[in-house]
Amino acid sequence: MKKIVVLGSLNMDMVLTTDRLPVIGETIHGEYIHYMMGGKGANQAVAASRLGISTSLIGCVGNDTFGEKILKHLSEEKLDVSSVRKEDNIFTGIATVFKTNRDNAIVVIPGANDCCDRRVVDENIDKIKQADVLLTQLEVPMETVKYALKKAKEFGVQTILNPAPYKDLPTELLEYVDFLTPNETEFESMVGSKFENSEELEKEMLQWSKRNQLNLIVTRGSRGSSYIEDGKVLTLPCIKVDVVDTTGAGDTFNGILAYAMAEKMELREAVTMAGIGASLSITALGAQTGMPSIQKLKQYL
Ligand code: RIB
């Protein structure tokens, strides 16, 4: 049986719906508050697990009500959460998501996610060793991410790093990455320049992946996702849907990509599947609500 391990954050998302964002110094009335399950690590693990693949999550929550609620919910999603450590004297990660009709803005308070150190990796090293894919992001300490990726590579496990939220990547970390999946803005931060058009982005993608010798996939919101095949950048469009909430679209993409890689799919097929899944995920409120099951995904493929 194929296995995925996700190392990453678990958050309680407090989603505040409002007409518009306040400006500095202003108080406005919002409409509603929803408490939703989130955190890039948990979201990506749920996206994979919904497709029926065995998925384990490594991370930390606080020994508090939010931590308990999150773990209960993830167990109901058939995720293995036995590697999520409960930390005393610190609160579970919280994300405040300000959601307007057009877009969202998020402030994350990491809390227990910051306690996710290399000991957590060591305690779960056998799971990583037995996995087909290790998927991780940057909402837990960089040092831990690097250590886990290194270990995974030593065991011959495929690795995916979603560099979100963006932080400068130590060069040696890239040695341990098979697939790097920034969104367009994160890729701009990586290369240190803004792209005026698609040609500039594509040129930079080709140069960057040649220099770093790894698979680069750039997710581009409504434009779809771009990857490199036979020395050319290909962009696969996403499907048209009624947008409700874009939170977690990137996480859905990464979770499904991990599934596809574990199942040894061709890159084109994997990116297509991940892109369709990401589009479907934005049709419901909350990061995880709209993530598709394998049956739903297959209808669209
Ligand atoms: O990628 C979306 C996620 O980012 C949200 O669920 C929130 O928790 C933040 O981590």
Side-chain angles (χ1 to χ4, degrees):
M1 193 185 186
K2 298 290 186 344
K3 291 194 179 93
I4 294 174
V5 170
V6 181
L7 164 73
S9 57
L10 301 91
N11 292 333
M12 179 58 79
D13 288 358
M14 290 166 42
V15 184
L16 305 168
T17 52
T18 168
D19 274 353
R20 64 174 178 88
L21 298 178
V23 294
I24 298 297
E26 185 190 28
T27 303
I28 60 168
H29 276 264
E31 284 153 7
Y32 214 82
I33 180 162
H34 300 266
Y35 290 85
M36 319 274 320
M37 305 296 160
K40 293 187 192 302
N43 294 344
Q44 296 183 10
V46 168
S49 175
R50 289 243 172 116
L51 304 186
I53 192 163
S54 161
T55 309
S56 302
L57 177 60
I58 302 177
C60 296
V61 291
N63 203 352
D64 54 19
T65 317
F66 281 167
E68 254 167 50
K69 274 194 192 311
I70 291 174
L71 290 182
K72 181 168 178 286
H73 156 78
L74 293 178
S75 304
E76 286 164 5
E77 287 282 349
K78 305 211 169 37
L79 260 175
D80 165 26
V81 287
S82 58
S83 303
V84 178
R85 200 166 67 188
K86 276 191 189 166
E87 296 286 339
D88 289 325
N89 307 318
I90 184 99
F91 53 89
T92 296
I94 290 180
T96 312
V97 183
F98 299 93
K99 189 195 158 323
T100 71
N101 284 340
R102 293 161 297 283
D103 218 328
N104 63 34
I106 305 181
V107 179
V108 179
I109 315 287
N113 294 306
D114 270 352
C115 300
C116 189
D117 53 17
R118 54 161 79 194
R119 273 185 310 134
V120 194
V121 176
D122 283 334
E123 282 159 17
N124 294 290
I125 206 74
D126 286 342
K127 279 192 188 164
I128 296 180
K129 199 173 190 172
Q130 286 155 21
D132 294 279
V133 174
L134 172 77
L135 167 63
T136 186
Q137 336 68 31
L138 300 177
E139 260 180 1
V140 294
M142 180 73 86
E143 184 54 34
T144 315
V145 169
K146 190 168 105 188
Y147 183 63
L149 289 168
K150 183 166 186 272
K151 286 285 165 198
K153 278 327 293 167
E154 280 169 17
F155 301 137
V157 174
Q158 285 198 92
T159 56
I160 304 175
L161 172 64
N162 172 223
Y166 185 74
K167 295 182 185 120
D168 282 340
L169 301 172
T171 323
E172 77 269 23
L173 175 143
L174 295 175
E175 282 171 37
Y176 314 128
V177 177
D178 293 315
F179 295 91
L180 189 76
T181 58
N183 65 21
E184 214 167 327
T185 320
E186 288 151 3
F187 187 51
E188 284 181 339
S189 305
M190 272 167 58
V191 298
S193 61
K194 282 227 163 284
F195 310 123
E196 296 298 329
N197 49 47
S198 290
E199 287 71 40
E200 283 184 18
L201 168 92
E202 292 178 10
K203 195 169 150 216
E204 197 58 61
M205 277 183 73
L206 289 169
Q207 285 174 356
W208 192 93
S209 66
K210 200 167 174 197
R211 255 195 330 272
N212 293 283
Q213 291 297 307
L214 59 83
N215 290 293
L216 177 66
I217 303 170
V218 179
T219 54
R220 305 177 63 194
S222 57
R223 289 204 199 95
S225 25
S226 301
Y227 74 104
I228 298 169
E229 192 179 284
D230 298 331
K232 287 197 191 92
V233 175
L234 296 188
T235 299
L236 302 180
C238 49
I239 56 171
K240 288 227 175 341
V241 291
D242 291 330
V243 183
V244 176
D245 184 3
T246 56
T247 315
D251 297 331
T252 311
F253 185 95
N254 280 280
I256 298 178
L257 181 72
Y259 164 86
M261 288 300 130
E263 295 291 347
K264 307 258 177 297
M265 290 183 188
E266 294 295 326
L267 194 51
R268 177 188 286 250
E269 205 185 343
V271 176
T272 304
M273 194 178 194
I276 293 174
S279 302
L280 294 173
S281 76
I282 63 178
T283 57
L285 184 75
Q288 297 174 13
T289 322
M291 289 175 176
S293 63
I294 190 74
Q295 291 79 7
K296 183 155 188 192
L297 199 49
K298 278 184 177 161
Q299 285 170 18
Y300 288 84
L301 283 166

